[in-house]
Amino acid sequence: VNLTKEPHNRSVIASAGLIPLLYDILTSSYSQVRPAKQRQSSQGAALGSIAKERLLTQTCIVIGQFCNDDRFREQFIDMYPHTVKCLLYIFSLVQFGSALS
């Protein structure tokens, strides 16, 4: 269940300090995404990286929900400048059609 779908909920959750935590999770784990070639061979996939990708997937979803509001989108762009760079890196690396693409 995504609690950030409604604007009021996003405001309440943001006021509790979730945005800096989302940014920290994103910037500390974006580089641990498995490339598309490694994703196809399940032999090299470690259980830890799968769990990290699932966490990163949910982090990206919540950031995306926050960015539906102009105020939060501008906040991510202005106050957390690496957000877009990390998301573009993830998008360029993962296999098309996966949860992170």
Side-chain angles (χ1 to χ4, degrees), residues 14 26 30 32 49 81 90 97 100:
L26 178 67
Y30 78 96
Q32 298 174 10
S49 62
I90 293 167
L100 280 170

Side-chain angles (χ1 to χ4, degrees), residues 5-17:
K5 287 188 177 182
E6 298 296 322
H8 171 72
N9 293 348
R10 287 192 287 267
S11 295
V12 170
I13 291 172
S15 67

Side-chain angles (χ1 to χ4, degrees), residues 1-36:
V1 176
N2 190 341
L3 298 175
T4 58
K5 287 188 177 182
E6 298 296 322
H8 171 72
N9 293 348
R10 287 192 287 267
S11 295
V12 170
I13 291 172
S15 67
L18 183 68
I19 291 179
L21 295 175
L22 290 171
Y23 183 71
D24 287 344
I25 293 169
L26 178 67
T27 57
S28 65
S29 60
Y30 78 96
S31 62
Q32 298 174 10
V33 174
R34 292 176 294 147

Side-chain angles (χ1 to χ4, degrees), residues 20-68:
L21 295 175
L22 290 171
Y23 183 71
D24 287 344
I25 293 169
L26 178 67
T27 57
S28 65
S29 60
Y30 78 96
S31 62
Q32 298 174 10
V33 174
R34 292 176 294 147
K37 291 179 184 177
Q38 186 181 2
R39 191 179 287 277
Q40 292 171 351
S41 67
S42 60
Q43 298 168 346
L47 182 61
S49 62
I50 293 171
K52 288 176 186 177
E53 281 188 25
R54 288 182 180 158
L55 176 65
L56 189 59
T57 300
Q58 294 305 312
T59 302
C60 292
I61 289 169
V62 174
I63 290 173
Q65 287 293 326
F66 270 105
C67 288
N68 284 331

